[in-house]
Amino acid sequence: MANHVYFNIQIEGLTEEQYDCLFKTEEITRTREDGSKWSTHELLEVHEQPFMSNVERTYDKDGWIEGAYQWYCDNCGAKWVNIDDWESGMITGHSAWSMPTPMVENMLEYASNRFGVELRARMTYEDEFRNFIGIDEFETFLVDGEYCVSTDEDYIDGSNLTEMVEEKFDCDCGDDDFEWFDEYKDTGICPQEWIDEVVYNYFETGELNDTV
């Protein structure tokens, strides 16, 4: 099973109407256990979204994108990406093994060129087992009448977090007696809860430190 990488994306510079134009849903009818039906609107697959419309792709006879694995890796940054929520200006979701940096770049390039505005975005992400975490900052700018995207990546390997825990608690996280979810010795602090606070503070402030 692939590791899930959870991400949050915040875009600045779009009106609510412009933001809504980035996404497309379809009405789905489902059947309950008693046979009755109900309808809901669900987001289309990422490759069918307006914000990916400028990226070339071909489809097979069954209507599925050809070379989907490589297409998603090249244009989205992961072999698959699920957007779970996109309302209220915050995009949340999860992807396989890596963060969807190229997807955000395509999203911003599409939006800037469609609406003629400069945009900024910020994405925080973390692997479900904290193999890595990070913050990507994006900004669009004009070059010869076309908007391009610059990306500033702050990728932090999980080993850095482990080292922080070992320094904080003067311990060896690989020791059989070490427990992430128990209060450590006489500190009264749970290592897992402490590193959670460190990571969430990093997402909020952009600074990774042990002062929380």
Side-chain angles (χ1 to χ4, degrees), residues 19-51:
Y19 178 81
D20 289 342
C21 287
L22 299 181
F23 303 94
K24 185 177 180 180
T25 62
E26 63 180 347
E27 186 174 17
I28 302 293
T29 300
R30 301 194 180 281
T31 304
R32 299 185 177 91
E33 291 184 3
D34 62 4
S36 62
K37 298 184 181 298
W38 61 284
S39 296
T40 184
H41 282 83
E42 295 184 359
L43 205 63
L44 296 179
E45 298 283 353
V46 166
H47 66 271
E48 297 179 302
Q49 289 301 322
F51 59 77

Side-chain angles (χ1 to χ4, degrees), residues 161-180:
L161 303 179
T162 301
E163 289 175 4
M164 292 180 70
V165 171
E166 291 179 336
E167 291 179 5
K168 173 71 175 180
F169 295 93
D170 189 23
C171 66
D172 179 358
C173 293
D175 192 297
D176 291 339
D177 295 329
F178 179 80
E179 294 291 344
W180 283 93

Side-chain angles (χ1 to χ4, degrees), residues 3 31 37 39 52 75 83 93 97 102 153 161 195 197 203:
N3 277 18
T31 304
K37 298 184 181 298
S39 296
M52 297 298 289
N75 299 295
I83 294 177
W97 296 109
E153 299 182 2
L161 303 179
I195 199 62
E197 290 186 25
F203 286 156

